[in-house]
């Protein structure tokens, strides 16, 4: 297998740690760089004892970010801060947006050709921020920038399989739009294996997929948000990126990318992955009336989140 370096930025966090574990288990990875501003040595030492192919490289602190990124084929970004009491949504936005901006500035400098997998929320804004940073640095390639929306797909598959009583391992469901609330649009009319679900059941599945994050936040009761399922989803998407780079044919995953599928500049839909990242952004296919309504309903929010990101990056 080819030499492939993957870097995880924010590797010591709630998502970063299980993501580091899962990427250590991936046989396509030869070098795994774990970077965080704090806590990386412990995570790196721990994961490094696992007897799989990849070499673990731990980097702590900003002065080591360049080393972490050098030669990376895929960079995964779960870095961020959790919302603390007294912090508004805007405070959180500004902090995470700033983190993504500074990490992407370093990516442009140290590994401008890497495929970038953005997990840090709000993805609907952080991906446009990344694109602006890369444009300013003169390194932007729309084929190499991805918002990771795989957790929406993972949830849609799980919830659909439960309701339709089909084997979850066989289920395929595209999820399009964005990565927050109503901007998440699962296309259950295209789900396979097909099932005769009522419109009430489809509506309930759609809402549950859109509110999946809240379901976990409430269950964790103040102790965090989705980390394990997000790490799983991040690992699935990074694996698809690596397969594409390695020339495996017909690797298709949904992702939030630069797009002409709708009138919005970024949109999640099925994407064929290849040796240069995005090989093809696939269209939406036939939508049910319910999905058509959902599509129109999500556009204003998604548009304003994209604009908020672009404005932040250029402020
Ligand atoms: P989540 O549950 O979303 O993973 P956490 O707060 O547990 O949230 O993890 C986020 C991680 O991101 C923390 O380990 C934190 O140290 C890290 N982090 C914060 N800022 C940066 C940064 N500028 N560069 C790299 N990592 C960062």
């Amino acid at each position: 297998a080819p030499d492939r370096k993957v870097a995880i930025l924010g590797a010591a966090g709630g998502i970063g740690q299980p993501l580091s574990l899962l990427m250590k288990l991936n046989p396509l990875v030869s070098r795994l760089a774990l970077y965080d501003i704090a806590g990386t040595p412990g995570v790196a030492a721990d994961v490094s004892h696992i007897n799989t192919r990849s070499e673990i490289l731990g980097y702590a602190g900003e002065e080591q970010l360049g080393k972490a990124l050098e030669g990376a084929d895929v960079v995964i970004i779960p870095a961020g801060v959790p919302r603390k009491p007294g912090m508004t949504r805007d405070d959180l936005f500004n902090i995470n947006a700033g983190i993504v901006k500074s990490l992407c500035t370093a990516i442009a400098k140290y590994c401008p050709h890497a495929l970038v997998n953005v997990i840090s929320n709000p993805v609907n804004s952080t991906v446009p921020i990344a694109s602006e940073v890369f444009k300013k640095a003169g390194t932007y390639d729309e084929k190499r920038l991805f918002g990771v929306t795989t957790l929406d797909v993972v949830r849609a598959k799980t919830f659909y399989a439960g309701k339709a009583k089909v084997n979850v391992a066989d289920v395929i469901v595209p999820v399009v739009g964005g990565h927050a609330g109503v901007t998440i649009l699962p296309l259950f009319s295209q789900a396979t294996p097909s099932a005769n679900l009522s419109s009430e059941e489809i509506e309930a599945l759609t809402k549950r997929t859109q509110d999946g994050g809240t379901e976990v936040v409430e269950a964790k009761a103040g102790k965090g948000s989705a980390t394990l399922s997000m790490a799983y989803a991040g690992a699935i998407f990074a694996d698809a990126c690596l397969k594409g780079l390695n020339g495996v044919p017909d690797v298709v995953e949904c992702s939030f990318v630069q797009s002409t599928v709708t009138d919005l500049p970024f949109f999640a839909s099925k994407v064929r992955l290849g040796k240069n990242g995005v090989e093809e952004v696939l269209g939406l296919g036939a939508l049910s009336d319910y999905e058509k309504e959902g599509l129109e309903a999500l556009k204003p929010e998604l548009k304003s989140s994209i604009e908020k990101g672009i404005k932040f990056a250029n402020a």
Side-chain angles (χ1 to χ4, degrees), residues 1-6 28-32 53-54 71-74 242 244-247 275:
D3 173 44
R4 291 293 178 204
K5 178 176 173 181
V6 173
L28 301 181
V29 181
S30 45
R31 286 175 294 154
L32 182 59
R53 178 188 179 206
S54 57
D73 298 286
V74 177
L242 290 165
L245 288 176
N246 288 354
K275 292 185 178 178

Side-chain angles (χ1 to χ4, degrees), residues 8-17 35-39 62 65 77-83 95-96 98-100 102-103 119-121 224-227 230:
I8 301 179
L9 312 184
I15 296 164
Q17 291 200 36
Y35 171 81
D36 204 301
I37 49 170
E62 253 173 291
L65 178 55
I77 313 181
V81 293
R83 190 159 160 196
I95 295 172
N96 280 357
I99 291 171
V100 169
S102 73
L103 292 174
I119 291 175
S120 309
N121 271 315
S225 52
T227 53
M230 182 60 242

Side-chain angles (χ1 to χ4, degrees), residues 121-239:
N121 271 315
V123 161
N124 291 354
S125 301
T126 51
V127 169
I129 288 170
S131 78
E132 291 298 304
V133 170
F134 296 149
K135 277 180 203 163
K136 278 192 197 163
T139 66
Y140 183 51
D141 177 356
E142 73 277 5
K143 293 181 166 56
R144 296 173 185 271
L145 176 60
F146 304 87
V148 181
T149 60
T150 317
L151 181 52
D152 307 319
V153 177
V154 164
R155 286 175 175 146
K157 286 178 173 179
T158 302
F159 302 158
Y160 178 85
K163 192 53 93 181
K165 305 210 165 36
V166 295
N167 185 348
V168 70
D170 299 333
V171 172
I172 298 175
V173 186
V175 181
V176 303
H179 183 57
V182 297
T183 71
I184 299 166
L185 182 63
L187 303 180
F188 288 114
S189 71
Q190 297 176 18
T192 56
S194 65
N196 264 326
L197 299 180
S198 67
S199 51
E200 289 74 23
E201 286 172 315
I202 296 288
E203 208 166 306
L205 284 176
T206 301
K207 296 231 150 59
R208 192 174 176 207
T209 304
Q210 293 172 333
D211 297 339
T214 308
E215 193 177 307
V216 176
V217 165
E218 284 172 2
K220 291 197 177 182
K223 295 216 164 108
S225 52
T227 53
L228 303 173
S229 50
M230 182 60 242
Y232 171 77
I236 292 285
F237 189 72
D239 178 67

